[in-house]
């Protein structure tokens, strides 16, 4: 099935560039591996190289930086690793602070970089859940 018809809700709320990246990678993965979870994982892996999750949608990375966002995106599928849940773990502390500010994270001024990463992940999950429910 074409990627446009399987577009996840977070991507429906995202810019066309994010949608296009996901759709092209998904369709290519479907041709290579067949329909299913693997095609979705490949599409998200490609998306995480150019975009990051902000709240309930995806945006271009800071300064249009390209490259893997988290350990899982940087490795082959067989090696594994944890996911950054769409948050760009290579982003600067200042960028993470600005994201936390946009997402309304309380206490962000006292947080270090790793705490900001965790807080932005939590806020993203919460915003996505709210968008899907309501």
């Amino acid at each position: 099935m074409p990627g446009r018809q399987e577009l996840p809700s977070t991507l429906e709320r995202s810019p066309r560039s994010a949608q296009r990246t996901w759709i092209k990678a998904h369709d290519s993965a479907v041709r290579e591996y067949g329909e299913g979870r693997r095609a979705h994982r490949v599409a998200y892996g490609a998306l995480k190289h150019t975009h990051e999750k902000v709240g309930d949608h995806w945006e271009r990375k800071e300064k249009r930086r390209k490259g893997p966002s988290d350990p899982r995106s940087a490795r082959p599928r067989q090696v594994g690793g944890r996911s950054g849940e769409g948050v760009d773990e290579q982003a600067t502390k200042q960028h993470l602070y600005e994201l936390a500010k946009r997402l309304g994270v309380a206490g962000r001024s006292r947080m270090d970089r790793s705490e900001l990463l965790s807080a932005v992940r939590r806020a993203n999950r919460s915003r996505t859940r709210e968008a899907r429910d309501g």
Side-chain angles (χ1 to χ4, degrees):
M1 179 174 286
R4 183 162 303 287
Q5 294 166 347
E6 291 195 27
L7 203 61
S9 61
T10 56
L11 281 158
E12 289 175 353
R13 295 183 288 275
S14 299
R16 290 187 196 273
S17 63
Q19 294 176 2
R20 192 171 37 254
T21 299
W22 192 90
I23 290 167
K24 284 184 176 185
H26 177 270
D27 291 349
S28 176
V30 166
R31 285 190 298 276
E32 183 73 23
Y33 309 116
E35 187 63 56
R37 292 182 63 183
R38 187 169 184 184
H40 285 254
R41 283 195 309 264
V42 167
Y44 274 115
L47 181 66
K48 288 179 183 180
H49 275 68
T50 56
H51 292 76
E52 64 183 330
K53 191 159 185 257
V54 179
D56 64 346
H57 65 282
W58 294 80
E59 294 179 3
R60 279 247 179 235
K61 285 185 181 179
E62 170 186 35
K63 299 178 184 172
R64 296 199 175 268
R65 190 180 67 71
K66 293 184 180 179
S69 304
D70 56 52
R72 187 179 290 173
S73 291
R75 295 190 186 109
R77 184 173 71 92
Q78 298 82 0
V79 177
R82 66 173 179 70
S83 171
E85 299 179 32
V87 178
D88 183 9
E89 294 186 1
Q90 306 302 317
T92 63
K93 181 179 178 184
Q94 181 62 37
H95 179 72
L96 294 170
Y97 176 84
E98 293 300 323
L99 285 178
K101 185 176 179 181
R102 285 177 52 197
L103 294 168
V105 173
R108 63 188 170 270
S109 63
R110 295 181 303 278
M111 293 181 183
D112 64 22
R113 194 170 171 285
S114 65
E115 291 170 326
L116 284 167
L117 278 167
S118 295
V120 169
R121 276 190 208 102
R122 280 192 306 275
N124 283 348
R125 284 192 301 266
S126 177
R127 291 277 182 99
T128 300
R129 194 171 27 257
E130 289 170 6
R132 286 182 181 156
D133 292 343

